[in-house]
Amino acid sequence: AVVSTQSTGKALTLVIVLPWQQVQDQKWETRDQHFEQFINGMFGSLLQITAGDVDSSLELHTPALSFYLSSLADIVSCSAHRETKSKQIVCRAILPVVRHLVVLLPHFQKDSRIFEHVLSFTTVLCDALRVQLGAQFLLELVGLCLSNFTKSKGSNSEVARTTVEKFIELLTNVVREPSPIFKGFTPDIINISLKDIREYVERSESLSCSFYVLLHSLLDFNWSYFYPRNAADREHCLNEESFLAILQVFGASLMKSDFNVIKQNVIALTDLNDKHELFIKQTFVVHLKGNFIAVILNLLFSGSMPIIDEELEDTLYELANSHKEPNRGAFYLDALSKYLVSVLPPNVLSTVLSK
């Protein structure tokens, strides 16, 4: 019955709010009124639930709130990638319901099942109605998700894994937002990503690819957080500790056996260099460049990832090509010598180097 009700809600939404093909008079005003009545009828019971009701009987209201969040997510998703008029109709009708949910959600924070639905719903809102809802409102909702994430962690259950997966998707959307108002989340997102989320990823490899997409997005879409465009010293790295920590996680991933992650991250590093000249940044050169070269040489010489040899060779070339000294041959020799020192026994090393 619940599934049927959700399907009906989505179907009615599509009929009411989407443009009618080959019809001149779209009757938007009438449809706006009908959709508001439909939302009030479907979610009227939710508006009657108070924070006190939740506190006194959490288990009683959890199934209902799960249903309402899932249904709202389905309805909002219908307006994604649609014309502005459809989005405006949906936003105007659901806004009172969403505002009421924001009041109730802190009282459900002990239930990880609810948090999973909240993440899905917030992700859909950010994707479909971020312009109509406004950055300030979404800021409040995303802030609620951030503050409650650590309260839901600690379990390695399937629910927890799914929750983290949806949280990663939400954070990736947030860090890609161009609006300056969302940039204030950057320090918190970096901290949660490198500590809390990374703990989950180490226990559940299925989350790895989406986690590294988030880290790549943190650097790519927030480059000015580390290298402000208007800075007098373009080489000086602000928030250097966070910058290095993110890249060190990238480097550690190249020493694992997950082919998909290694390929994805090698391409991501090259992308960061193409867009932002990562490989010539002084912070990278001083602290990380030699380590990355050694790891890539090890992957090439070990033959463990022959399918991505081309990507590895391209990245190694870009690392070497970014060397500012005119004698690039000396750079290659120095890098290769350091690598050999790290992997060969002393008696073999002396023979190799003499030749």
Side-chain angles (χ1 to χ4, degrees), residues 53-305:
D53 294 333
V54 176
D55 291 337
S56 61
S57 51
L58 176 62
E59 287 297 323
L60 177 64
H61 294 289
T62 294
L65 190 61
S66 298
F67 164 75
Y68 287 131
L69 285 165
S70 296
S71 299
L72 266 177
D74 282 344
I75 288 170
V76 172
S77 68
C78 294
S79 65
H81 313 298
R82 303 295 182 176
E83 67 174 49
T84 300
K85 194 64 181 178
S86 298
K87 291 175 180 286
Q88 290 172 340
I89 290 174
V90 172
C91 184
R92 195 180 75 82
I94 69 165
L95 191 56
V97 181
V98 177
R99 290 193 182 282
H100 189 65
L101 279 171
V102 170
V103 173
L104 294 181
L105 290 178
H107 299 269
F108 282 91
Q109 64 186 18
K110 295 178 181 178
D111 196 315
S112 62
R113 293 168 297 173
I114 294 297
F115 188 53
E116 183 179 335
H117 288 298
V118 171
L119 292 172
S120 296
F121 176 57
T122 305
T123 301
V124 171
L125 275 181
C126 287
D127 181 46
L129 298 176
R130 59 182 176 274
V131 174
Q132 287 71 31
L133 286 169
Q136 191 61 50
F137 181 78
L138 289 177
L139 197 70
E140 181 180 355
L141 195 53
V142 171
L144 183 66
C145 293
L146 284 169
S147 65
N148 282 306
F149 175 72
T150 52
K151 296 182 178 67
S152 72
K153 79 186 192 75
S155 168
N156 196 29
S157 64
E158 179 61 24
V159 171
R161 191 204 65 79
T162 308
T163 299
V164 177
E165 185 174 31
K166 291 176 179 177
F167 192 51
I168 291 173
E169 181 183 356
L170 171 61
L171 294 184
T172 302
N173 288 340
V174 170
V175 300
R176 289 176 174 178
E177 274 295 320
S179 173
I181 197 168
F182 284 99
K183 300 306 179 186
F185 283 132
T186 301
D188 289 335
I189 294 176
I190 291 173
N191 185 55
I192 287 176
S193 299
L194 296 179
K195 293 182 179 178
D196 301 318
I197 296 179
R198 191 181 180 191
E199 289 180 12
Y200 278 106
V201 173
E202 289 175 350
R203 299 201 304 262
S204 180
E205 292 186 357
S206 62
L207 295 169
S208 294
C209 287
S210 59
F211 172 63
Y212 289 110
V213 168
L214 169 58
L215 293 187
H216 177 231
S217 298
L218 270 168
L219 292 173
D220 186 18
F221 291 86
N222 296 272
W223 192 257
S224 60
Y225 178 72
F226 306 103
Y227 290 95
R229 295 184 181 89
N230 58 353
D233 183 359
R234 301 294 294 273
E235 283 297 316
H236 178 63
C237 180
L238 295 178
N239 305 295
E240 183 179 75
E241 184 177 349
S242 296
F243 183 75
L244 291 173
I246 294 172
L247 288 168
Q248 283 166 351
V249 173
F250 267 107
S253 73
L254 302 182
M255 295 186 283
K256 297 183 178 181
S257 57
D258 191 323
F259 163 78
N260 291 321
V261 168
I262 292 175
K263 180 176 181 178
Q264 174 183 309
N265 287 350
V266 166
I267 293 173
L269 287 166
T270 303
D271 176 69
L272 290 172
N273 184 57
D274 291 342
K275 293 178 179 177
H276 308 290
E277 298 184 322
L278 169 65
F279 295 163
I280 64 171
K281 295 301 181 185
Q282 190 64 18
T283 295
F284 180 84
V285 172
V286 171
H287 297 284
L288 297 174
K289 188 171 182 176
N291 294 333
F292 273 99
I293 289 172
V295 170
I296 292 173
L297 282 171
N298 186 61
L299 285 169
L300 285 169
F301 288 150
S302 68
S304 58
M305 299 282 172

